Amino acid sequence: MLASAPVSRNSAIDLPAEVASAASAPPPAAAARSVVLVGMPGAGKTAIGKRLAARLGLPFRDADAEIESAAGMPITEIFSRYGEPHFRDGERRVITRLLAGPPLVLATGGGAFADAATRRAIKASGAATLWLRCSMATLLRRVAGREHRPMFLNADPAEVLQRLMSARHPSYAEADVTVTCTDESPEVTTRRVEEALAAAVTPQRLSVGLGDRGYDVLVGPGLLARAGGLIGPVLPARKAVVLTDASVAPLHLPALRAGLEAAGFDMLAEVAVPPGEASKDFSRLQEVLETVLSEGLDRRTAVIALGGGVVGDLAGFAAAVAMRGVPFVQIPTTLLAQVDSSVGGKTGVNLRAGKNLAGAFHQPRIVLADTDTLATLPARELRAGYAEVAKHGLLQGALWNWCEQHGTAVVAGESAALTHAVLESCRLKAAVVAADEREESAEGGRALLNLGHTFGHALEAEARFDGTVLHGEAVAVGLGLAASLSARLGHCSQEWPSRVIAHLAACGLPSRIADLPRRFTVEALMGRMAKDKKNRDGKMRFVLMRAAGDCFTSSEVPAEAVTALLRDEGAG
């Protein structure tokens, strides 16, 4: 019914077997499954459900009718005799039994999906859930004449419906698909429901295994519109502030706002900072904190990052220090952020001494990587993000082979290639972060994710974060330099620098220092690298490679070898 969204063993990263085998495997085909219709009284769940079942060739069941049949009495009598808790328990058992059988279309009572335990049971069954969402005016017209029903006895229907909508809409927003119903004919609505189900893509879900601080990474299209329903269950309260930038806000903030409001979120503040690395500093951090605190942020308020890596790092650091730590949600909108910075909990700001030298580890509660947002990226930003995908390929092995075959499709913006690149990059990073969250491993571990970054951060910092050299562009050059240094030290064959540099160049990325639009000196770059936060005991620390899928960290790199490489590669 719902379509599925579209390693070699590393000596230093011990990846789970499923990560190794998933790098180039196609997604599995979706099996037929049940459809559960949820919504308010008067939404048309039974009328639409019967028609939908006929169109899909599935049996139809009405949960309320099944409950009355099993109990041998009307629902009103069950309520009056035994109370709502007893009814909800029986309702849950009936729905669970029905969904345990062959696929069907099931219409539920208005309160079923609003019950947390029943909602969990429906989700656990694997059924597709669809919310028939109606306006107040539509519902009032449809419930006219139902004044005899218990909920409307001696009450104003509008007041009753408003109360129920306020209580239940946040739960309905957790449905997989939402279709807004109007006064059109049931046949037209049924056709739109069928089309919505056919077009829906189930997001891929990856887990970052950090025990009590673990969280899921969701990858797929259309996640902004569903954001409230997806993030609400993992937050302590439906209150949030959104941090974004002035370029992203007009593109994606309206969709996010609507998705949050549909799930009953109270939006305390929306803060937009100027785009670019210059926003990652202490003065901007203080402005953000003063703003959100003045709007009423408390320890149950989530900070939501909507944007690229700069916004994610800044928002995450703000969440880490506000009230000594508040919930944090990552909604990355760039390829660079989706494949790298949004996963792992590293947050921070830049100092004059270098990039990300002040920060904290603060894990998000959930990451929503909406692949639809990548269609709005400028070509240069998309190419820059691909550098991190290539890095993950070199770390993993099998993904590098995929990159060499499909990298040009990724930077061309082809949807299937982008989705695969994001999914597999997140899969690798989730496994690495789970094994070495705070980069404390003596060798290898999370430090391997810095392949190319010792060089890249030096180049980026020396460019003063002024936009002439993007982070991904600096990393691309850094990957070429890391491969070249590995070859010069005898760790890999000369084939690898040639392959890495040629592939990055074919994808439109700078791959050598001389490709960058400004000049650098050996002395300046060496000075930057000497202050790199990954250094230990005063020694520069590099990630080197023997081959794709076989990388390692080393502090035994002669400074003169690095100096000679920089000079040969174009530094003055």
Side-chain angles (χ1 to χ4, degrees):
M1 209 71 58
L2 292 182
S4 258
V7 183
S8 63
R9 185 176 178 83
N10 189 301
S11 62
I13 307 178
D14 189 8
L15 296 177
E18 60 268 22
V19 177
S21 63
S24 55
R33 52 178 175 155
S34 295
V35 178
V36 177
L37 301 180
V38 305
M40 292 284 291
K45 299 183 293 293
T46 298
I48 302 303
K50 288 179 178 178
R51 290 169 171 82
L52 179 65
R55 294 176 73 102
L56 298 178
L58 295 175
F60 171 77
R61 296 289 185 273
D62 183 293
D64 282 354
E66 296 287 330
I67 292 166
E68 291 182 336
S69 176
M73 67 181 73
I75 287 175
T76 52
E77 188 173 346
I78 300 174
F79 263 82
S80 63
R81 281 194 186 188
Y82 305 106
E84 183 172 2
H86 177 87
F87 170 77
R88 294 299 172 203
D89 184 60
E91 178 183 53
R92 187 181 315 119
R93 291 199 303 270
V94 168
I95 288 174
T96 301
R97 171 176 57 79
L98 290 169
L99 294 177
L104 78 163
V105 174
L106 177 66
T108 61
F113 204 66
D115 180 80
T118 302
R119 191 164 64 250
R120 287 194 297 270
I122 292 173
K123 291 180 179 181
S125 75
T129 51
L130 186 139
W131 176 18
L132 294 174
R133 185 179 185 183
C134 297
S135 68
M136 172 66 79
T138 298
L139 290 176
L140 281 173
R141 284 191 291 271
R142 292 182 178 180
V143 301
R146 298 187 186 183
E147 291 81 1
H148 63 285
R149 296 188 61 169
M151 70 176 68
F152 296 122
L153 283 176
N154 303 315
D156 179 355
E159 291 181 0
V160 173
L161 289 173
Q162 186 58 60
R163 174 173 50 80
L164 291 176
M165 291 168 76
S166 297
R168 294 177 178 179
H169 275 199
S171 300
Y172 294 160
E174 295 183 30
D176 299 317
V177 181
T178 298
V179 173
T180 299
C181 303
T182 66
D183 288 329
E184 64 198 7
S185 70
E187 288 74 18
V188 172
T189 300
T190 303
R191 186 182 69 247
R192 292 200 298 115
V193 166
E194 184 180 18
E195 291 170 351
L197 286 169
V201 177
T202 302
Q204 299 287 328
R205 186 180 291 264
L206 305 170
S207 294
V208 182
L210 293 172
D212 292 342
R213 290 169 295 99
Y215 54 94
D216 287 344
V217 180
L218 274 61
V219 181
L223 302 186
L224 285 180
R226 298 179 54 199
L230 293 170
I231 71 178
V234 302
L235 296 177
R238 300 205 175 204
K239 298 191 298 182
V241 298
V242 176
L243 181 64
T244 185
D245 71 42
S247 295
V248 172
L251 296 172
H252 304 303
L253 185 54
L256 174 60
R257 185 187 301 123
L260 293 172
E261 289 175 351
F265 270 78
D266 182 10
M267 300 293 293
L268 300 183
E270 297 172 353
V271 182
V273 301
E277 283 284 336
S279 286
K280 273 179 59 174
D281 67 8
F282 270 113
S283 63
R284 190 69 63 184
L285 174 67
Q286 182 173 354
E287 289 178 17
V288 170
L289 289 171
E290 296 284 4
T291 299
V292 298
L293 288 168
S294 69
E295 294 296 331
L297 177 138
D298 60 26
R299 286 184 172 174
R300 290 166 55 83
T301 303
V303 175
I304 300 176
L306 175 70
V310 168
V311 166
D313 285 356
L314 181 63
F317 196 20
V321 298
M323 301 284 185
R324 295 189 174 92
V326 299
F328 173 46
V329 173
Q330 282 272 24
I331 306 183
T333 61
T334 66
L335 181 60
L336 183 67
Q338 289 190 4
V339 303
D340 188 57
S341 61
S342 64
V343 179
K346 282 187 176 181
T347 73
V349 296
N350 304 326
L351 303 178
R352 283 193 297 272
K355 185 178 174 71
N356 296 330
L357 291 183
F361 286 95
H362 190 57
Q363 298 293 346
R365 296 294 181 93
I366 193 170
V367 179
L368 303 185
D370 188 335
T371 52
D372 283 343
T373 64
L374 302 180
T376 64
L377 282 181
R380 184 188 177 199
E381 293 279 356
L382 194 63
R383 289 194 299 269
Y386 178 72
E388 293 286 356
V389 179
K391 178 199 76 176
H392 292 143
L394 288 170
L395 291 174
Q396 189 207 57
L399 183 57
W400 172 256
N401 296 330
W402 182 89
C403 286
E404 288 189 307
Q405 295 177 26
H406 302 285
T408 54
V410 174
V411 297
E414 293 186 13
S415 178
L418 280 168
T419 299
H420 189 84
V422 173
L423 183 63
E424 296 309 322
S425 290
C426 289
R427 194 188 306 278
L428 177 135
K429 188 160 187 185
V432 174
V433 168
D436 183 25
E437 178 186 4
R438 293 178 176 267
E439 204 170 306
E440 296 171 330
S441 175
E443 295 298 333
R446 187 165 181 172
L448 289 171
L449 295 170
N450 291 304
L451 177 64
H453 282 57
T454 301
F455 291 110
H457 282 171
L459 292 164
E460 194 179 2
E462 191 59 21
R464 308 290 179 183
F465 309 112
D466 63 2
T468 58
V469 179
L470 300 179
H471 174 71
E473 293 169 338
V475 168
V477 174
L479 292 175
L481 290 169
S484 296
L485 182 61
S486 300
R488 289 189 178 210
L489 296 176
H491 298 300
C492 69
S493 69
Q494 190 58 48
E495 169 201 6
W496 282 106
S498 300
R499 283 177 67 174
V500 171
I501 290 170
H503 176 63
L504 294 170
C507 292
L509 281 161
S511 54
R512 314 190 91 120
I513 293 177
D515 295 338
L516 297 173
R518 60 187 300 157
R519 304 279 67 85
F520 301 87
T521 67
V522 172
E523 292 74 14
L525 293 176
M526 291 295 289
R528 294 284 183 184
M529 286 189 285
K531 297 176 182 177
D532 192 282
K533 61 183 181 296
K534 298 180 293 299
N535 295 345
R536 289 185 179 176
D537 301 322
K539 291 185 177 181
M540 288 188 295
R541 195 165 178 235
F542 291 88
V543 181
L544 303 174
M545 59 181 294
R546 301 182 186 95
D550 189 358
C551 298
F552 63 99
T553 56
S554 176
S555 299
E556 304 303 320
V557 177
E560 55 269 22
V562 182
T563 299
L565 173 63
L566 291 173
R567 185 173 293 111
D568 292 345
E569 289 295 317

